[in-house]
Amino acid sequence: MRGKYVLIVVVLLTLAFGVGRLSAAPGTLDSPASPDSTSSYTLEEIYNRLNDGTAGAQSTFTEPSSGPGTGTMHTLNQIMDKAPAADNTDGAVPAEVLTGKTYWSLRTDGSGGSSWGLETGTAAAGDNVSGPEGARTFTIPDGFYAGSKTATANDSDLAAGNIASGVSIFEVTGAAIVATGDATASDVLTGKTFSNASGAGIAGTMPDNGAVVITPTTTNTVIVGGYHNGSGYVVGDADLVAGNIISGVEIFGVSGERHGGCVCTGVLNGTRWCDNEDGTVTDLTTCLVWLKKADWGGLKPWEDCENHDDVHSRVAALEAGAAAADLSDGSEPGDWRLPTLRELDGLTYGSEAVLASTPRAFTGVQSSHYWSSLAVGMVAVAWDLDDAHIYYCLRSDSRLVWPVRGEQ
């Protein structure tokens, strides 16, 4: 190891004083004579050159007048710290330095044609950047580009008014409204113009119908194509209500509730009988209102001249709240009467006839004779519900009573 340090000292002294100053006879380290007058750099000047690029000046060797004293210059280690070190990873190669420019290469591996020491760059200087007319992209040649180069790819049309609203191109935010849509001339009112995806300034052809008024009829009415200003209407009719329409018929979405000229506001039994839920039942084919309890009147003579307890007095006394009648229709004495023969006949004929076996909405229907209001001489006419026949009975005979009255 000692020999290695001696060799380093010799090299450094050679750098400091020149080879001529240290020459000696072969085989000895002793100087044969004092250094000649050859000028050289000192170690301190070498340090300054490495540290900050100071040029330094050569000087002539002067024999020291005394022995070494306290050192004032930088040490050899400090000088070595300032010397560049090899860098084969990040050290530049000639192709990375502008052509004609010199630099100190730190490469020792020969990469890119470089070697340790002073080198000259070979990278070409780039020219102004431009591309083919109308090209969206083009190739930028390799080379160095200084900030003073002019980019001829600039375009004065790169302005907000030329870019669609909501779109940003090279940090220029567009403000132009781009015509879109698929409307056609027939979709736009005549006299107005519009734009769509295929063009601008297109004239509309839709007819202007203004306010259109339509009156319903028994046939469909054609709605004319075109623009309607919203003031038109379809004529209405206050009489278009369920109570004015026969049951089973629908007019403009309104289903009828009237049966034979009357309306069921209670519970419909089949299609003919309406339980009014007040002790009465309405025949929707005749609008006659019958007492729901067909057995309430009991058995009475048609005429009782002595006691006056006959069908006429029985019916005349019937009113809302009458005993056992379950009647709450608001009727008063004198509102009720005996049915005619035709009315009794109507009960047992037609759709949904009433019989003892099929009482419909009634209760207490008897399989027997019911008095009618018809009398001939000493006899009166009764009607049998089950066999639908007329019976002539003495007025003193007892038969059933079933009161009836007109439409409520």
Side-chain angles (χ1 to χ4, degrees):
M1 292 296 293
R2 181 177 180 182
K4 181 178 180 180
Y5 288 123
V6 171
L7 179 59
I8 292 173
V9 171
V10 171
V11 172
L12 291 174
L13 289 175
T14 301
L15 291 172
F17 301 107
V19 177
R21 293 184 181 180
L22 297 178
S23 61
T28 178
L29 296 177
D30 295 330
S31 174
S34 61
D36 54 27
S37 60
T38 301
S39 296
S40 183
Y41 295 101
T42 66
L43 291 177
E44 188 65 14
E45 289 173 327
I46 294 173
Y47 176 87
N48 291 335
R49 172 71 68 84
L50 294 173
N51 183 53
D52 54 24
T54 302
Q58 292 182 339
S59 60
T60 303
F61 174 77
T62 303
E63 186 71 30
S65 59
S66 62
T70 302
T72 59
M73 71 175 187
H74 290 84
T75 66
L76 293 177
N77 285 341
Q78 290 173 324
I79 294 173
M80 184 60 74
D81 287 342
K82 293 296 181 179
D87 185 351
N88 291 324
T89 300
D90 297 322
V93 297
E96 297 171 337
V97 179
L98 189 62
T99 184
K101 302 297 181 180
T102 59
Y103 71 101
W104 189 269
S105 172
L106 301 179
R107 310 290 298 216
T108 61
D109 58 355
S111 176
S114 64
S115 60
W116 178 270
L118 189 65
E119 290 279 7
T120 301
T122 61
D127 201 354
N128 290 342
V129 178
S130 62
E133 184 68 24
R136 293 176 61 85
T137 58
F138 53 89
T139 301
I140 298 177
D142 291 339
F144 173 78
Y145 293 86
S148 61
K149 294 291 184 181
T150 301
T152 58
N154 287 344
D155 194 328
S156 59
D157 290 333
L158 185 61
N162 295 331
I163 301 174
S165 177
V167 177
S168 179
I169 300 178
F170 296 124
E171 299 183 358
V172 178
T173 300
I177 304 300
V178 179
T180 59
D182 57 1
T184 62
S186 61
D187 297 327
V188 179
L189 189 62
T190 184
K192 304 295 182 180
T193 59
F194 68 100
S195 302
N196 59 22
S198 63
I202 304 171
T205 60
M206 179 188 296
D208 186 350
N209 297 320
V212 177
V213 177
I214 299 175
T215 301
T217 66
T218 56
T219 59
N220 292 338
T221 300
V222 176
I223 299 176
V224 180
Y227 172 74
H228 296 248
N229 65 12
S231 298
Y233 56 91
V234 176
V235 177
D237 194 324
D239 291 332
L240 185 62
V241 294
N244 293 333
I245 302 173
I246 299 299
S247 176
V249 177
E250 181 179 298
I251 299 178
F252 295 124
V254 180
S255 296
E257 296 179 352
R258 179 169 290 278
H259 300 263
C262 46
V263 178
C264 179
T265 58
V267 177
L268 190 63
N269 185 294
T271 62
R272 177 179 175 182
W273 304 101
C274 179
D275 185 343
N276 299 310
E277 300 185 294
D278 59 2
T280 66
V281 174
T282 300
D283 184 348
L284 297 175
T285 64
T286 64
C287 293
L288 290 174
V289 179
W290 296 81
L291 185 64
K292 182 173 181 177
K293 295 186 68 174
D295 58 348
W296 171 83
L299 292 168
K300 296 290 181 181
W302 195 90
E303 182 179 48
D304 183 353
C305 296
E306 294 182 5
N307 300 316
H308 302 290
D309 183 18
D310 53 29
V311 293
H312 301 289
S313 59
R314 180 68 169 162
V315 171
L318 182 60
E319 63 177 329
D326 296 337
L327 191 60
S328 60
D329 65 339
S331 61
E332 299 177 352
D335 288 344
W336 295 89
R337 61 177 174 80
L338 281 176
T340 67
L341 185 59
R342 181 183 293 275
E343 290 168 349
L344 284 171
D345 180 31
L347 286 175
T348 57
Y349 283 97
S351 63
E352 302 175 29
V354 175
L355 303 172
S357 57
T358 54
R360 308 302 176 185
F362 299 97
T363 62
V365 178
Q366 303 297 303
S367 177
S368 186
H369 306 153
Y370 282 85
W371 283 120
S372 76
S373 60
L374 179 62
V376 181
M378 297 298 293
V379 298
V381 179
W383 183 262
D384 190 290
L385 261 65
D386 270 1
D387 62 15
H389 282 87
I390 295 174
Y391 288 87
Y392 295 91
C393 305
L394 293 175
R395 294 187 182 191
S396 59
D397 291 343
S398 293
R399 298 289 184 263
L400 293 167
V401 182
W402 195 349
V404 68
R405 62 180 175 83
E407 184 178 1
Q408 298 186 79

